[in-house]
Amino acid sequence: KQEVTQIPAALSVPEGENLVLNCSFTDSAIYNLQWFRQDPGKGLTSLLLIQSSQREQTSGRLNASLDKSSGRSTLYIAASQPGDSATYLCAVLGGGFKTIFGAGTRLFVKA
Amino acid sequence: DAGVIQSPRHEVTEMGQEVTLRCKPISGHNSLFWYRQTMMRGLELLIYFNNNVPIDDSGMPEDRFSAKMPNASFSTLKIQPSEPRDSAVYFCASSLGQQETQYFGPGTRLLVL
C-alpha cells in the first residue's frame, strides 16, 4: 500500500530564504508526482507535475525533483516571499491510477 | 475557462438527511475525481471517473456514499443518510487524462449536526 510522507510538517522562515520541502513515498511504481499549494479555506492549486520518466520540473522560483528509486521528491522554493505562505502538498499517482496525498507542509514566510 | 465548479459551497444539515454535492468539470477533461479532506485524515480519494465511467470507488467509506457521472459535464456525490462524522470539505477535481495535472474546485464545506 502506497504511503506518502512530508517532512517537515511545518516550517517558518524569514523572507528571502531559499527552502526545500520533502516528500517521500514507499512504492516506487508511480506514474507521476504532483505538487500543490493550498491556502487556508481554499482549494488546491497545482504547482508542478513530474512524470515518472522525468527528473525535475521548473516553474519560476519553484523547482521540483523526483528520484523514483529512492522514493523521494523535493520542492525547492527560491527567494521565499510572504505570499508563499501556504500548505504545500505532494500527491503520488500510483497503481490503478490512484492518487495518494501526503499530509502537507505548512509554510510561513516572515516579512 | 471557468475552472472546476462545485455547489453548494457550504452545506449545513442534520443527521439522517440526504446530502447531494455537485461538480462541473473543466470542459474537455475526461477524468473526474472526488476527494474528502479532514484534519484527522487529510485528503482522501473517494472515487474517480474516466470518460464518465467509475474506475475505482474503493475510497468510498461505506454504502451511504454514492457517486454518479451521467455525462461529461456533471457529477454528483450523494450521502444518504448523513452522519456527523461525514463533516468535512469535499473537493472535486478534473484532468485531461488519468496521468495529467489535476485541477481542483473550491470545495464544499459540509457540516452534519
Side-chain angles (χ1 to χ4, degrees), chain B residues 17-69:
Chain B
Q17 296 297 306
E18 177 179 297
V19 175
T20 299
L21 311 182
R22 297 173 177 80
C23 175
K24 177 179 170 54
I26 293 172
S27 176
H29 283 191
N30 60 19
S31 293
L32 183 139
F33 310 82
W34 282 102
Y35 292 91
R36 179 172 67 176
Q37 186 174 39
T38 61
M39 289 292 292
M40 291 297 294
R41 300 174 66 90
L43 258 170
E44 302 173 284
L45 177 66
L46 299 177
I47 185 172
Y48 77 91
F49 295 83
N50 195 50
N51 294 320
N52 311 339
V53 176
I55 302 300
D56 187 338
D57 65 354
S58 59
M60 298 283 262
E62 47 199 274
D63 292 345
R64 297 184 298 105
F65 286 69
S66 63
K68 294 182 179 179
M69 192 164 186

Side-chain angles (χ1 to χ4, degrees), chain A residues 32 34 38 96-99, chain B residues 37 48 58 98-99 101-102:
Chain A
N32 63 44
Q34 196 165 356
Q38 185 174 29
F97 294 101
K98 193 165 185 176
T99 304
Chain B
Q37 186 174 39
Y48 77 91
S58 59
Q98 291 181 94
Q99 299 185 48
T101 298
Q102 293 185 30

Side-chain angles (χ1 to χ4, degrees), chain A residues 66-86:
Chain A
L66 175 63
D67 184 343
K68 260 187 23 172
S69 61
S70 66
R72 293 181 184 176
S73 176
T74 61
L75 179 66
Y76 175 83
I77 302 176
S80 59
Q81 304 169 357
D84 295 330
S85 299

Side-chain angles (χ1 to χ4, degrees), chain A residues 27-89:
Chain A
D27 186 349
S28 61
I30 67 170
Y31 292 101
N32 63 44
L33 184 145
Q34 196 165 356
W35 283 93
F36 292 88
R37 167 188 174 136
Q38 185 174 29
D39 293 284
K42 300 292 179 69
L44 280 70
T45 300
S46 177
L47 298 173
L48 291 165
L49 181 143
I50 312 176
Q51 298 291 355
S52 62
S53 59
Q54 298 174 321
R55 296 283 293 183
E56 65 178 330
Q57 282 286 335
T58 298
S59 176
R61 294 183 294 108
L62 305 179
N63 175 277
S65 68
L66 175 63
D67 184 343
K68 260 187 23 172
S69 61
S70 66
R72 293 181 184 176
S73 176
T74 61
L75 179 66
Y76 175 83
I77 302 176
S80 59
Q81 304 169 357
D84 295 330
S85 299
T87 296
Y88 291 81
L89 299 117

Side-chain angles (χ1 to χ4, degrees), chain B residues 66-100:
Chain B
S66 63
K68 294 182 179 179
M69 192 164 186
N71 56 61
S73 59
F74 183 67
S75 177
T76 59
L77 178 67
K78 186 175 293 186
I79 308 172
Q80 167 63 16
S82 58
E83 296 183 3
R85 60 192 167 122
D86 302 330
S87 298
V89 181
Y90 291 81
F91 289 104
C92 175
S94 71
S95 63
L96 275 172
Q98 291 181 94
Q99 299 185 48
E100 303 301 322

